Amino acid sequence: MEIWINPACSKCRSAISLLDAEGAEYTVRRYLEDVPSEDEIRAVLDRLNLEPWDITRTQEAEAKELGLKEWARDAGARERWISALAEHPRLIQRPIITADDGTAVVARSEEAVREALEHNKS
């Protein structure tokens, strides 16, 4: 399993602590440094069963500069959102855990981290 984190994020640190406490095997991706491509973002969205605006941090300064709150949230705008996330990775909600069974969760709560752990059991 892989976890996308920003080390400065308390929810990311909490998720890592829980994974460690459970003895989980995982790979850390510091997504601000190792920025996901548009294709990787599309793949994670498919695994999450979410749209790009669902995982966008709209309160970030960059979101306000881009005017994201005014952007359409429909199929026609989907690629524009994905491009924005790839160009401005700080806008990606975190942490995101991708499990070995092909699922993924936005792991902002202990329950979500535990769900990822359940999906990762073989």
Side-chain angles (χ1 to χ4, degrees):
M1 115 174 102
E2 182 176 79
I3 181 169
W4 292 8
I5 68 158
N6 171 355
C9 166
S10 63
K11 293 200 184 294
C12 292
R13 293 192 305 271
S14 295
I16 294 281
S17 293
L18 182 54
L19 291 175
D20 288 344
E22 295 293 330
E25 290 185 25
Y26 60 92
T27 304
V28 170
R29 179 169 186 171
R30 293 177 177 223
Y31 71 93
L32 297 179
E33 299 159 19
D34 182 6
V35 178
S37 68
E38 290 184 19
D39 283 342
E40 288 174 302
I41 292 169
R42 277 187 211 96
V44 162
L45 287 168
D46 287 347
R47 291 172 78 166
L48 289 166
N49 200 25
L50 294 173
E51 292 298 335
W53 46 87
D54 296 326
I55 65 161
T56 300
R57 297 171 56 84
T58 57
Q59 298 304 312
E60 292 287 330
E62 290 173 63
K64 292 175 179 168
E65 288 167 22
L66 293 169
L68 289 184
K69 285 198 172 180
E70 275 69 60
W71 287 18
R73 295 177 182 218
D74 57 30
R78 190 171 199 264
E79 289 304 310
R80 183 181 185 197
W81 282 85
I82 290 169
S83 294
L85 292 173
E87 290 170 27
H88 307 277
R90 189 170 303 281
L91 298 177
I92 299 172
Q93 190 58 267
R94 62 196 183 239
I96 293 176
I97 299 175
T98 54
D100 293 344
D101 72 352
T103 61
V105 297
V106 178
R108 295 186 58 74
S109 68
E110 181 176 332
E111 294 77 24
V113 176
R114 292 197 183 283
E115 179 183 334
L117 285 165
E118 284 300 312
H119 283 284
N120 216 55
K121 291 180 179 170
S122 26

